[in-house]
Amino acid sequence: MANAYLWVKTLHIVFITSWFAGLFYLPRIFVNLADEKNTEAYSRLLGMADRLFRFMTILAVPAVLLGLTLWLGFGIGAGDVWMHAKIFFVILVIGYHHACWSLLKKFRANLNTKSGIWYRWFNEVPVLLMLVITALVVMKPN
């Protein structure tokens, strides 16, 4: 049982890290899309954004499912305040992921109204969320 737990935990960390890599990079592509005037370059960046969004969505699913397995299957953090806080912030990450999807749809339709500067600030959100979630998991405050 301990071996299965360690594998689930390992895979959870790998999928979370990979998912967050996409959450860190996609808004950087949005910065470039917001500032791009060349239609050929815009098209290329939009293709990159589409592929990255699909890939990070595929990574998000096992990341969340493995986390639920740790919580519900192995009882990690069951009933603990830190776990409830972590789940709240994970829901915010999922919301951020959906916000990226909404913004990507606007770029696809050529309806973006936000500046590159706005996207630079938007890009900081997953960094803060990851910091809070990691602190909760490591410190386990009650």
Side-chain angles (χ1 to χ4, degrees):
M1 191 68 139
N3 200 21
Y5 162 74
L6 293 175
W7 273 111
V8 171
K9 188 175 181 179
T10 298
L11 291 172
H12 177 62
I13 292 168
V14 168
F15 279 102
I16 287 292
T17 304
S18 302
W19 177 26
F20 267 88
L23 291 174
F24 294 154
Y25 190 60
L26 184 61
R28 293 305 305 166
I29 297 174
F30 290 167
V31 168
N32 293 315
L33 279 166
D35 294 337
E36 189 56 62
K37 304 298 180 226
N38 180 298
T39 55
E40 187 177 309
Y42 187 91
S43 243
R44 186 173 46 258
L45 288 166
L46 192 56
M48 289 170 59
D50 277 330
R51 288 185 297 276
L52 179 57
F53 184 81
R54 277 194 306 273
F55 185 64
M56 67 187 222
T57 300
I58 290 167
L59 294 169
V61 172
V64 171
L65 292 175
L66 289 163
L68 288 171
T69 301
L70 289 169
W71 180 40
L72 301 173
F74 291 99
I76 303 305
D80 292 341
V81 173
W82 69 268
M83 181 55 84
H84 293 285
K86 177 191 173 191
I87 291 166
F88 171 76
F89 285 102
V90 169
I91 290 168
L92 292 180
V93 173
I94 293 167
Y96 183 87
H97 186 108
H98 283 276
C100 286
W101 180 46
S102 177
L103 293 166
L104 181 56
K105 288 193 301 188
K106 287 182 180 177
F107 278 115
R108 284 184 199 140
N110 224 354
L111 297 174
N112 175 57
T113 58
K114 299 178 183 347
S115 70
I117 293 169
W118 187 89
Y119 287 106
R120 283 182 179 86
W121 283 104
F122 180 74
N123 191 39
E124 301 306 321
V125 173
V127 175
L128 297 174
L129 290 170
M130 186 180 214
L131 175 64
V132 170
I133 292 168
T134 302
L136 286 167
V137 170
V138 171
M139 297 178 202
K140 295 178 177 46
N142 285 319

